Amino acid sequence: MYKVDLNSDLGESFGAYTIGLDNEVIAHVSSVNVACGYHAGDPLVMEKTVAAAKAAGVAVGAHPGFPDLMGFGRRNMVVSPKEVKAYVKYQLGALMAFAAAEGIRLQHCKPHGALYNMAGKDMDLALAIAEAIAEVDKNIILPFLKKSAICRLLGLANSKMIDAGKQLGLRVANEVFADRAYQADGSLVPRKLPGAVIHDKDEAIARTVRMVTEGKVTAITGEEVEIAAHSICVHGDNPSAVEFVKNIRTQLTARGVEITPIREIV
């Protein structure tokens, strides 16, 4: 039987601003990526999101990004690997505090937006992220655990992040996107280009099922790309998000695919 995780980026509200359909989406996924206050989210939102995930029985991961609230972390920044490493450590530590307060452990760490895309192609940045995760896991022991936390690196399938995670001995999970177009090298089509986001839900679901069951996706230029799918990202910040994730889950289950958190797969 095939197994796959359904993840969604949540906790992206900030202060008086509400972003996303967190309460509705969380009921249909198996893992959530919680914004850590740099690109989105704030302490109260982080606390609320972690508590909601625990109540729903959903696994929690950190979603660190660039310090860019105004640009929602989607603007490339000129930063050194040393800076990126510190950014990730800082955000991991913040979310770990809220997880500890709820008596749960972080399952994974998935970089956000521009950081995610840049590290997917830049080995130095990818290693900085992997090193941050490895060092935090090694040096921090949560008192309510019998052993130190095991945090997985969730990165774009076929990217430098996966290579970096393996190089440092981390557990890595290949992520695929239900509603994003791919380039021939396995990277995502930049959002600024036409066709980057797939709006036809039937097409998106069919592509997702194929990635999980066949390990292939058709690039925007027509090439067949080999791809491993441990986790599927479904975005929760548009009005059709709930229906979309419900449909994906239904279609995968109907084909014998078990929906389960990443920790049950890698």
Side-chain angles (χ1 to χ4, degrees):
M1 175 185 286
Y2 297 104
K3 290 184 178 182
V4 74
D5 171 62
L6 285 180
N7 81 74
S8 190
D9 304 341
L10 302 185
E12 295 177 335
S13 298
F14 183 81
Y17 300 93
T18 299
I19 299 174
L21 302 169
D22 291 17
N23 291 336
E24 292 85 353
V25 170
I26 205 168
H28 304 289
V29 296
S30 46
S31 298
V32 295
N33 318 303
V34 182
C36 302
Y38 262 30
H39 74 278
D42 62 39
L44 288 175
V45 172
M46 292 165 70
E47 183 175 55
K48 178 181 178 181
T49 307
V50 171
K54 179 186 177 181
V58 173
V60 175
H63 200 32
F66 282 137
D68 181 24
L69 280 172
M70 188 174 288
F72 198 64
R74 287 180 175 163
R75 299 184 291 190
N76 287 7
M77 296 183 69
V78 180
V79 292
S80 68
K82 183 178 180 180
E83 289 173 297
V84 165
K85 185 175 178 179
Y87 293 164
V88 173
K89 280 185 177 181
Y90 182 89
Q91 293 174 82
L92 269 176
L95 193 65
M96 276 184 162
F98 291 111
E102 290 292 336
I104 63 175
R105 66 198 295 175
L106 294 188
Q107 173 190 248
H108 65 278
C109 177
K110 170 191 168 181
H112 165 82
L115 177 59
Y116 181 97
N117 291 325
M118 289 172 66
K121 295 184 177 182
D122 186 323
M123 191 61 173
D124 290 336
L125 294 183
L127 282 170
I129 293 169
E131 287 170 1
I133 296 170
E135 290 177 13
V136 168
D137 280 344
K138 179 183 291 185
N139 298 325
I140 295 178
I141 298 176
L142 304 182
F144 54 84
L145 297 177
K146 294 182 179 179
K147 58 182 178 179
S148 60
I150 300 174
C151 191
R152 296 150 181 84
L153 173 60
L154 178 57
L156 181 67
N158 301 331
S159 73
K160 297 295 185 184
M161 274 194 291
I162 298 299
D163 295 339
K166 289 179 178 178
Q167 184 172 317
L168 268 70
L170 296 176
R171 298 189 188 188
V172 296
N174 291 287
E175 181 179 41
V176 299
F177 287 77
D179 59 354
R180 293 293 303 278
Y182 281 81
Q183 302 191 96
D185 64 357
S187 63
L188 298 177
V189 175
R191 284 180 177 270
K192 63 183 179 181
L193 297 180
V197 178
I198 298 169
H199 297 286
D200 185 320
K201 74 173 187 192
D202 292 330
E203 179 187 355
I205 291 172
R207 286 164 61 88
T208 302
V209 170
R210 186 167 182 244
M211 284 190 280
V212 174
T213 60
E214 297 181 28
K216 295 181 180 179
V217 66
T218 303
I220 196 168
T221 47
E223 296 90 343
E224 289 295 294
V225 180
E226 299 286 334
I227 198 164
H230 295 135
S231 186
I232 302 164
C233 180
V234 286
H235 291 110
D237 57 356
N238 67 74
S240 61
V242 178
E243 180 186 2
F244 188 48
V245 68
K246 285 172 65 177
N247 285 337
I248 286 180
R249 186 168 190 136
T250 298
Q251 291 292 332
L252 287 170
T253 302
R255 288 164 173 76
V257 178
E258 180 182 351
I259 307 301
T260 188
I262 300 168
R263 60 174 173 257
E264 304 297 330
I265 302 171
V266 299

